[in-house]
Amino acid sequence: MKNQLFLILLLAITFTNYRSQVVSTFAGSGFSGSVNAIGAAASFNNPFGVCSDPSGNIYVADNGNHKIRKITPTGLVTTFAGSGLGGSTDGLGAVASFSNPTGVCSDASGNIYVADNNNHKIRKISPIGLVTTLAGSGTIGAANATGTLASFYNPTGVCSDANGNIYVADNNNNKIRKITPAGVVTTLAGSGSIGAVDAVGTLASFHFPYGLCSDGVGNIYVADSYNHKIRKITSTGTVTNLAGSGNIGAVDATGILASFAYPISVSSDAFGNVYVADFNNHKIRKITTSGTVTTFAGSGTPGAVDAIGVLASFSNPAGICLNPVGDIYIADAGNHKIREITLCVAPSAPTNTTNISNTQICFGNSTTLSAISSGTINWYSTPTGGSSINTGVNFITSNTLSVGSYSYYAEATTCTNSASRTLISFTINALPIVTVNSGSICSGQSFTITPNGANTYTFQGGSAIVNPTLTTSYTIVGTSTAGCISQTFATSSLTVYANPIVTAVSNASLICIGQTTSLTAGGAISYSWSTGGSSNIEVVTPTVTTIYTVTGIDLNGCSNVNLRGTTP
């Protein structure tokens, strides 16, 4: 009967775990075998139980291979104990033998305990691989006694508590047994008759309990497989129903409103949550301390998809455990794999770390936008959707963008994406177009260069006021308020005209009082005499010796002065 049950369960149950999580393949090719190797290069044959030791090593009850396998945190799979042939030999490593082991657990000292199903025994493996029989005569029975005087009937699950006691899901006896560190076996709960009675100790009943775990404060949780329930046993032996209606189903709800389909393994975390390998639902379920059941991982359709949460798939998950840091491991029996579920914490939206000077740039330049967060930073041109246009904490924009304002969005990715993208904007400013005046001056004059189109200017020669002696040009560079520099020089052309050579002659430099004389100017086109005259000839009648001046102006407006003296 027990063997038939075991085969039915082996073929038909499912395990699932769902939270903020990423499901991946830790080890196993997916094909039945017993190859020792790393990760997916290794192989298993219907792995049914898993546990972790204090160092994070994972131990597997490799049911079809009659072995206990060990997987290091790096994924290296070796045979810890078992010859590979069905048997019950005690010995070291591969000298020892098992018969369809289904459950494993560890204690604080690193010892591994095995529910040796078809040998009806509980075996113990020391850290060096020495296998001994902790309890069980090897003959089917339900005797409470010490060590090999006690008996079991197809034990399927084991767990340990903080005091070194071992608890056994004695499947075909429909009991939960307890083994002290001295090897004394007693019945913790279960009448031995099939049922679902909640009561104290042997007044309670189970229906093929398969897996169990302790929560660290003295409670034991039982995957009561054929009752489709998760039962709880307190330290005083009181049995209650934590979750499950008793009907086959996959309903997420609280307490008895939830449903399972042949749950066969359980494990608890540091917060008192219980995780269930829901065998025939092909899911991992989670039960909070208040009894709320949710689907932690698994679509419910048999498969081997590695993905997040309910997008992943399992095929009859049969064993479940947590390592010291809270990662979850699944004996995915139907897939011949060991799967891993790691907590996936969605990263926070990236923090904009772009230098403020990079948010205002000039046409023709690129800029560097920056953001930080946990995980990988991906850049997008849209606030949602679209394809990533760059990856990394820095994004260098194109230098061919037109003048205007632009927005890009940074998203952080770990095992999932940040809930929102961070907007990072920048502006491309136009280069100033500088215009400037040109002109002409007479030799000796100054000229003020007056540019327009920018905020500040840099003048060739350093000044806007110039007084060249020869015709020349000056270049000017303008800078806008955004700090952009004009792409080309503005040129101020300046023509310098020579001043006219003004001549002045007198008919006579000596005259008598009362006489007149003519002063004649030349070299210009218009004249201005100190007497007020404006002709090139000025007639004067001085009464004293007098110096007369004449200013001549040429066609370019340039002027010069000459002097002429007359003495009466």
Side-chain angles (χ1 to χ4, degrees):
M1 174 68 175
K2 166 59 181 176
N3 290 341
Q4 291 176 334
L5 264 180
F6 174 75
L7 291 175
I8 290 171
L9 283 172
L10 182 60
L11 294 173
I13 301 180
T14 197
F15 136 167
T16 299
N17 189 349
Y18 178 46
R19 60 176 176 175
S20 292
Q21 71 296 41
V22 175
V23 179
S24 60
T25 297
F26 185 53
S29 64
F31 297 98
S32 177
S34 61
V35 176
N36 288 326
I38 295 176
S43 57
F44 303 89
N45 186 358
N46 288 317
F48 235 71
V50 284
C51 72
S52 173
D53 69 12
S55 299
N57 298 298
I58 302 301
Y59 296 85
V60 181
D62 195 0
N63 182 275
N65 281 324
H66 310 289
K67 293 180 177 181
I68 305 302
R69 312 287 288 281
K70 177 181 178 180
I71 313 175
T72 67
T74 60
L76 176 62
V77 179
T78 56
T79 297
F80 187 54
S83 64
L85 299 175
S88 60
T89 302
D90 288 338
L92 185 64
V95 172
S97 57
F98 304 89
S99 181
N100 298 117
T102 54
V104 284
C105 74
S106 68
D107 64 18
S109 299
N111 298 299
I112 304 299
Y113 299 88
V114 181
D116 196 0
N117 184 271
N118 279 355
N119 278 324
H120 313 290
K121 292 182 177 182
I122 304 303
R123 314 287 289 280
K124 178 180 178 180
I125 312 175
S126 72
I128 64 170
L130 179 62
V131 179
T132 56
T133 298
L134 176 67
S137 63
T139 300
I140 292 173
N144 288 326
T146 299
T148 56
L149 297 178
S151 56
F152 302 90
Y153 189 1
N154 294 124
T156 49
V158 285
C159 74
S160 64
D161 67 14
N163 298 316
N165 298 301
I166 303 299
Y167 298 86
V168 181
D170 195 0
N171 187 276
N172 269 15
N173 276 325
N174 298 298
K175 294 182 178 183
I176 305 303
R177 313 287 289 280
K178 177 180 177 180
I179 310 173
T180 68
V184 177
V185 179
T186 56
T187 298
L188 176 67
S191 63
S193 299
I194 290 174
V197 176
D198 288 336
V200 177
T202 57
L203 297 178
S205 58
F206 302 90
H207 190 181
F208 299 138
Y210 213 93
L212 71 179
C213 70
S214 65
D215 64 4
V217 293
N219 299 305
I220 302 297
Y221 297 90
V222 180
D224 194 1
S225 181
Y226 272 51
N227 277 324
H228 314 291
K229 295 181 178 183
I230 305 303
R231 311 287 287 280
K232 177 181 178 180
I233 311 174
T234 67
S235 58
T236 60
T238 300
V239 179
T240 56
N241 183 26
L242 177 66
S245 64
N247 298 317
I248 293 175
V251 176
D252 287 336
T254 300
I256 61 172
L257 298 178
S259 57
F260 303 90
Y262 299 99
I264 65 171
S265 184
V266 286
S267 187
S268 66
D269 65 18
F271 304 102
N273 300 301
V274 175
Y275 299 87
V276 181
D278 196 0
F279 191 86
N280 269 13
N281 277 326
H282 312 286
K283 294 181 177 183
I284 303 303
R285 313 288 287 281
K286 177 181 178 179
I287 311 174
T288 67
T289 53
S290 62
T292 300
V293 179
T294 55
T295 297
F296 190 65
S299 64
T301 300
V305 176
D306 288 335
I308 295 176
V310 296
L311 299 178
S313 58
F314 304 91
S315 180
N316 298 125
I320 187 168
C321 73
L322 279 75
N323 71 5
V325 297
D327 298 325
I328 297 174
Y329 295 86
I330 311 298
D332 196 0
N335 283 320
H336 309 290
K337 292 182 176 184
I338 305 303
R339 311 288 288 281
E340 180 181 25
I341 306 178
T342 54
L343 181 63
C344 175
V345 178
S348 58
T351 299
N352 182 3
T353 57
T354 303
N355 191 304
I356 189 65
S357 64
N358 290 355
T359 62
Q360 295 287 334
I361 64 170
C362 301
F363 175 74
N365 293 319
S366 62
T367 190
T368 299
L369 307 181
S370 303
I372 59 171
S373 182
S374 57
T376 301
I377 302 294
N378 292 309
W379 296 84
Y380 296 84
S381 58
T382 56
T384 59
S387 299
S388 171
I389 57 175
N390 191 71
T391 298
V393 295
N394 294 321
F395 170 38
I396 300 175
T397 65
S398 170
N399 63 356
T400 62
L401 297 175
S402 300
V403 170
S405 295
Y406 293 85
S407 295
Y408 289 95
Y409 301 85
E411 180 179 79
T413 300
T414 52
C415 48
T416 187
N417 297 328
S418 54
S420 61
R421 294 176 181 175
T422 298
L423 169 65
I424 301 178
S425 300
F426 68 98
T427 299
I428 299 177
N429 297 283
L431 303 182
I433 299 174
V434 177
T435 60
V436 68
N437 61 328
S438 294
S440 61
I441 60 172
C442 301
S443 178
Q445 292 181 331
S446 64
F447 181 79
T448 300
I449 301 171
T450 307
N452 289 287
N455 183 50
T456 60
Y457 304 91
T458 301
F459 299 90
Q460 178 186 358
S463 175
I465 300 174
V466 295
N467 51 0
T469 58
L470 299 173
T471 295
T472 189
S473 60
Y474 295 88
T475 56
I476 299 92
V477 175
T479 301
S480 68
T481 55
C484 300
I485 299 173
S486 54
Q487 192 170 26
T488 58
F489 295 115
T491 301
S492 175
S493 298
L494 186 58
T495 301
V496 179
Y497 296 109
N499 292 321
I501 300 174
V502 178
T503 61
V505 295
S506 173
N507 288 342
S509 58
L510 294 173
I511 61 172
C512 296
I513 294 174
Q515 290 183 327
T516 62
T517 187
S518 296
L519 304 177
T520 302
I525 62 170
S526 65
Y527 302 92
S528 176
W529 293 90
S530 56
T531 59
S534 59
S535 173
N536 67 318
I537 298 174
E538 180 72 4
V539 177
V540 295
T541 307
T543 56
V544 295
T545 298
T546 304
I547 300 297
Y548 297 93
T549 63
V550 61
T551 300
I553 300 173
D554 64 13
L555 287 171
N556 297 312
C558 297
S559 64
N560 209 341
V561 177
N562 203 341
L563 305 176
R564 174 53 54 190
T566 300
T567 302

